[in-house]
Amino acid sequence: MATMKVHGNVGSTATARVLTCLYEKDLEFEFVHVDLRSGEHTKEPYLSLNPFAQVPAFEDGDLKLFESRAITQYLAHDYANKGTQLICPGRQMAILSVWLEVEAHQFHPPSSKLVSELAVKPMFGMVADTAVVEENEAKLGQVLDVYETRLSQSKYLAGDTYSLADLHHLPNFLYLKGSRSMQLFDSRPHVKAWVDAITSRPAWSKLLALKNQK
Amino acid sequence: MATMKVHGNVGSTATARVLTCLYEKDLEFEFVHVDLRSGEHTKEPYLSLNPFAQVPAFEDGDLKLFESRAITQYLAHDYANKGTQLICPGRQMAILSVWLEVEAHQFHPPSSKLVSELAVKPMFGMVADTAVVEENEAKLGQVLDVYETRLSQSKYLAGDTYSLADLHHLPNFLYLKGSRSMQLFDSRPHVKAWVDAITSRPAWSKLLALKNQK
């Protein structure tokens, strides 16, 4: 079997999503660094791997994929027998799909906006826009109210076992941890217990170790 | 088998996504109108069906789902033998997943913003913000440049047959058709041929007929 390749950047949240999934699935891969500062992702040959000029891109033999959530779903389905089981059979998969979509359409927009304001802007010497931060903290707070109820009924989002739906939330914690916005998570007990559970998994520790090496 | 129920509003793009999928799959269902103007979606009992106070919500016997893209994926997978085949087996499914994610993360954000400015605001007597329209037309144009290349290689996004990845794009055309932004589609020949192909399907005509009845 050909080695899998991840083309990405360890500072990128979408790259972190794919790497964390590979660690959970206990799959070997080659990491190919893409230099975002020099704009390597906006030029050939990278554009042939991801025409939207974003990281990551992924290769498994002759199969070439992009979009982090499509890559993780491929790994979860096609390597179902390796490492952590991240999906489930039958109708329970429909519930898992609901929470995959909730991450993409409810959680991701405000939380990634907060990452951008509170972590990315300061890296480039810019100041966070307080109005944007407050607006997105209010939106995220409403989303987390729903999560608090859900997580009082089951330990994880799709049920009592860890799944891809939980994993997809991890990347933004790379930058939210330590920020003022963590208070939104810490003040909701079931949400806090869930964040503690998903961020203490060995696969996430491996991702943090890789990021800190670079 | 219990009848499926869709709780939604025919003016809602997310509801249209689910209804179009049901028509493609040739599945019988009961449509339960949710009155958005009176805020029915923000109160019980509706909140028990969708805690994010959005339409649609879906029931199939005792299975309750929300998030339109999770509902369509359930229908495509669990009723694979009914109506149009909207998914595919094996590794080709990974390619289809890429284009499902492209719709959600590249196409939907600018196109839904244009729907909001050019169609929703006027319905409420408000004026479109020209700067927002121009910004999102520029973003959508860049996305459609990638689509133009892709659709010069295959008739549909995931390959040579119609799939769920194409279907997911339909709802915003409810409002984009007839708007100034259609020029972005019409000026790209492969994109135009694709829009013509997906909007001329009988399932989409049924959706338009239902909307016009109400």
Side-chain angles (χ1 to χ4, degrees), chain A residues 8 15 32 48 53-54 77 91 109 131 159 169 174 179 181 188-189 195:
Chain A
T15 304
V32 184
S48 297
Q54 294 170 337
H77 283 276
R91 283 186 151 205
H169 288 75
L174 270 181
S179 81
S181 299
R188 292 170 171 86
V195 173

Side-chain angles (χ1 to χ4, degrees), chain A residues 54 67 69 74 91 106, chain B residues 54 67 74 91 105-106:
Chain A
Q54 294 170 337
E67 286 288 337
R69 295 169 183 85
Y74 165 72
R91 283 186 151 205
Q106 312 287 346
Chain B
Q54 293 170 339
E67 285 288 336
Y74 165 71
R91 282 185 153 205
H105 297 282
Q106 312 288 346

Side-chain angles (χ1 to χ4, degrees), chain B residues 6-20 31 33-34 36 41 46 50 54-57 68 108 115 120 123 170-172 174-175 204 207 210-211 214:
Chain B
V6 179
H7 303 257
N9 189 291
V10 289
S12 125
T13 52
T15 303
R17 186 174 288 115
V18 170
L19 295 177
T20 306
F31 183 69
H33 174 72
V34 179
L36 302 180
H41 57 304
Y46 187 79
N50 185 339
Q54 293 170 339
V55 284
S68 64
H108 183 74
V115 166
V120 181
M123 278 188 236
L170 279 168
N172 283 335
L174 271 181
Y175 297 106
W204 185 242
L207 185 278
L210 179 76
K211 182 163 185 289
K214 302 277 166 175

Side-chain angles (χ1 to χ4, degrees), chain B residues 146-168:
Chain B
V146 177
Y147 279 46
E148 181 65 10
T149 303
R150 173 66 185 169
L151 293 165
S152 72
Q153 296 155 350
S154 59
K155 187 175 176 192
Y156 296 101
L157 290 171
D160 286 322
T161 52
Y162 183 72
S163 81
L164 199 60
D166 305 296
L167 186 151
H168 277 193

